[in-house]
């Protein structure tokens, strides 16, 4: 977590998202983040993340930082955001989905093709709602589908 920033939501990293089949309460008060499709931009892999807001909160800002281990043994990080920190607000309403994107002008590209990614881990998550840190659980599944 970054110095000076508090995130009171519980970060839950899972290998597979919890299925709420048959029990709607299992997914309540959870912000579920999963890996979307990867694409190649100018020869560099750009992964994507999808968020499902299963809370009663309007999410003002959401950021997830993933660490990537590459075939070469190098490690890189990418920050996925719901919007620019000081940009136009794009809140994520309760019950809706949105994409978290990497702003290329604020992040160093991975610099490798998508199959060169060996593993992915979650290193940080920041969530704000109503000008305060989010409450509840942030469940992140960084594995590719």
């Amino acid at each position: 977590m970054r110095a000076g920033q508090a995130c009171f939501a519980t970060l839950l990293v899972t290998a597979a998202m919890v299925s709420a089949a048959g029990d709607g309460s299992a997914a309540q008060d959870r912000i579920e983040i999963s890996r979307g499709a990867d694409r190649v931009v100018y020869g560099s892999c750009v992964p994507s993340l999808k968020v499902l807001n299963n809370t009663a909160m309007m999410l003002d800002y959401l950021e997830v930082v993933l660490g990537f281990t590459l075939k070469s043994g190098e490690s890189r990080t990418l920050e996925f955001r719901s919007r620019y920190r000081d940009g136009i607000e794009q809140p994520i309403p309760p019950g809706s989905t949105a994409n978290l994107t990497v702003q290329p002008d604020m992040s160093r590209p991975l610099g490798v093709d998508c199959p060169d990614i060996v593993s992915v881990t979650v290193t940080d998550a920041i969530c704000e709602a109503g000008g305060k840190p989010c409450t509840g659980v942030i469940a992140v599944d960084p594995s590719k589908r």
Side-chain angles (χ1 to χ4, degrees), residues 83-140:
R83 65 177 172 91
Y84 281 94
R85 188 76 165 157
D86 296 318
I88 298 170
E89 292 187 16
Q90 297 175 324
I92 304 169
S96 68
T97 61
N99 292 316
L100 299 182
T101 58
V102 175
Q103 283 97 16
D105 58 332
M106 295 181 70
S107 298
R108 179 179 173 214
L110 287 177
V112 297
D113 198 9
C114 297
D116 290 341
I117 298 172
V118 175
S119 66
V120 184
T121 57
V122 179
T123 61
D124 197 5
I126 298 169
C127 182
E128 295 173 0
K132 298 177 184 174
C134 298
T135 58
V137 174
I138 299 173
V140 181

Side-chain angles (χ1 to χ4, degrees), residues 9-18 30-31 33 122 125 136-142:
T10 304
L11 176 60
L12 175 66
V13 180
T14 59
M17 296 306 294
V18 174
R30 290 172 62 94
I31 300 165
I33 302 169
V122 179
V137 174
I138 299 173
V140 181
D141 180 2

Side-chain angles (χ1 to χ4, degrees), residues 2-112:
R2 295 186 182 151
Q5 290 183 333
C7 181
F8 296 114
T10 304
L11 176 60
L12 175 66
V13 180
T14 59
M17 296 306 294
V18 174
S19 173
D23 182 13
S25 65
Q28 289 180 344
D29 289 335
R30 290 172 62 94
I31 300 165
E32 297 182 15
I33 302 169
S34 59
R35 188 107 170 257
D38 294 343
R39 59 188 169 89
V40 177
V41 178
Y42 300 116
S44 182
C45 185
V46 180
S48 66
L49 293 178
K50 295 182 206 177
V51 60
L52 173 58
N53 182 6
N54 283 322
T55 71
M57 299 177 287
M58 177 78 73
L59 304 180
D60 298 329
Y61 180 78
L62 184 58
E63 178 180 316
V64 175
V65 181
L66 296 182
F68 295 85
T69 303
L70 310 176
K71 280 184 182 177
S72 66
E74 294 179 85
S75 295
R76 306 260 169 79
T77 60
L78 287 178
E79 296 171 345
F80 298 80
R81 297 179 177 101
S82 59
R83 65 177 172 91
Y84 281 94
R85 188 76 165 157
D86 296 318
I88 298 170
E89 292 187 16
Q90 297 175 324
I92 304 169
S96 68
T97 61
N99 292 316
L100 299 182
T101 58
V102 175
Q103 283 97 16
D105 58 332
M106 295 181 70
S107 298
R108 179 179 173 214
L110 287 177
V112 297

